[in-house]
Amino acid sequence: SVEQPMTLPDFLSREPDGFVHLTGHRIGLHHLIRSYNEGFSPEMILGEYPTLSLALIHKVIACYLENQPEIDAYITAEERATEVQRAAASHGSSLQELRERMRKLRAS
């Protein structure tokens, strides 16, 4: 069975690629929740993300606590995707290899 993504409150937005962020901000849900799970208080999170309001941080944490299984699953998937991207980047072509490929393409 395919899991339906949870319905987001108006203060969270989902990009077409599935990335969830705070509406009107580039701050990912997983960034804020990671800080919370590391023991940061809402006030400490505000120190990390001063463009947010304390009220918004409290709303996001409350949403997390009410939907913890779904949000934890999302965060796990997001972190796994980031690891895959990092691994691909570290094993990717060097700039020299890319330039050589471009040169061959132009020559053909």
Side-chain angles (χ1 to χ4, degrees), residues 22-105:
L22 282 67
T23 303
H25 300 272
R26 293 183 178 171
I27 300 162
L29 172 64
H30 68 284
H31 295 116
L32 196 147
I33 297 305
R34 185 183 318 126
S35 296
Y36 174 74
N37 282 333
E38 287 174 0
F40 282 57
S41 68
E43 291 77 14
M44 291 164 74
I45 293 170
L46 180 62
E48 273 195 338
Y49 303 107
T51 59
L52 302 179
S53 69
L54 196 54
L56 177 58
I57 292 167
H58 280 284
K59 280 191 205 174
V60 172
I61 291 169
C63 177
Y64 171 63
L65 294 174
E66 289 167 9
N67 301 281
Q68 197 164 351
E70 296 97 326
I71 294 176
D72 282 343
Y74 161 76
I75 290 170
T76 299
E78 193 65 32
E79 288 172 348
R80 197 171 296 133
T82 300
E83 285 169 24
V84 168
Q85 288 171 351
R86 279 199 193 115
S90 68
H91 295 20
S93 302
S94 71
L95 190 56
Q96 188 59 42
E97 289 169 318
L98 292 173
R99 285 188 178 136
E100 185 62 22
R101 261 194 246 153
M102 284 301 295
R103 188 188 64 71
K104 285 179 181 170
L105 281 170

